[in-house]
Amino acid sequence: MEAGKQGCLPYDARVAMSQVTIRKAVPDDAERLLAYFRQVLEEPDIDLLTSPGEFNYTIDDERKLVDERARSDNSVFLLAEVDGQIIGLLGCEGGKRRKVRHVTVLGMSVRKDWRDRGVGKALMAHAINWAKSTGVVKRIELSVFARNARALHLYEQCGFVIEGRRRRAICQNGEYLDLLEMGLLLD
Ligand SMILES: CC(C)(COP(=O)(O)OP(=O)(O)OC[C@H]1O[C@@H](n2cnc3c(N)ncnc32)[C@H](O)[C@@H]1OP(=O)(O)O)[C@@H](O)C(=O)NCCC(=O)NCCS
């Protein structure tokens, strides 16, 4: 384990986390990143905005995206892996226009069998450290389904504040759901 606050994790979770490496993605990860993301999207009722049929990136598209993020000073792609397998992903996409270049928009997921073991917290700790180190990013923002108690808990634990509720912003399987907007200011 390379970073992240581990003091609050139970013993078995600490053992599990000791196997986890967190690093920036590189273009050669593209194929595995796509396979990972497709697997997560296939979960029924997953609280992510993208639906399975809507994710049509090719390996080449993904390579370019990873490469662009690696060159950017306000975007990043972090992955968590164990024994060469991707078990978690965190992406931050920075604003392109001058007035929003200090803002980066975060999205993340952890593979189902690795949830609740501290991987999300470790990815988030890396992302916050990265954002602070850029000297450019001053605000991290994200959207989360209001019913996603686990994600909300993690984000609030990491200092994110709820800034707004977009009522019925989501329609999933015929059900309207609220979306929360959250933000973290870095100084
Ligand atoms: C949300 C997600 C990224 C978090 O990653 P993770 O590795 O499971 O997170 P962690 O284990 O670091 O932390 C989870 C925390 O939520 C807590 N938690 C779990 N279920 C909970 C619930 N129903 N209510 C409140 N807290 C809950 C855990 O106890 C843990 O807190 P603790 O460290 O204080 O014990 C991951 O669960 C995930 O990929 N979910 C599906 C995709 C998703 O929802 N992505 C977020 C979109 S905004």
Side-chain angles (χ1 to χ4, degrees), residues 8-9 36 40 43 46-48 108-111 114-122 142-145 148-151 153-155 157:
C8 53
L9 292 174
Y36 165 85
V40 171
E43 284 180 41
I46 188 91
D47 288 342
L48 294 174
M108 69 186 296
S109 64
V110 170
R111 206 174 74 186
W114 273 89
R115 288 179 199 151
D116 285 335
R117 294 160 83 172
V119 178
K121 207 175 297 175
L142 58 84
S143 304
V144 56
F145 285 36
N148 193 344
R150 185 199 275 125
H153 176 86
L154 168 65
Y155 300 150
Q157 219 173 28

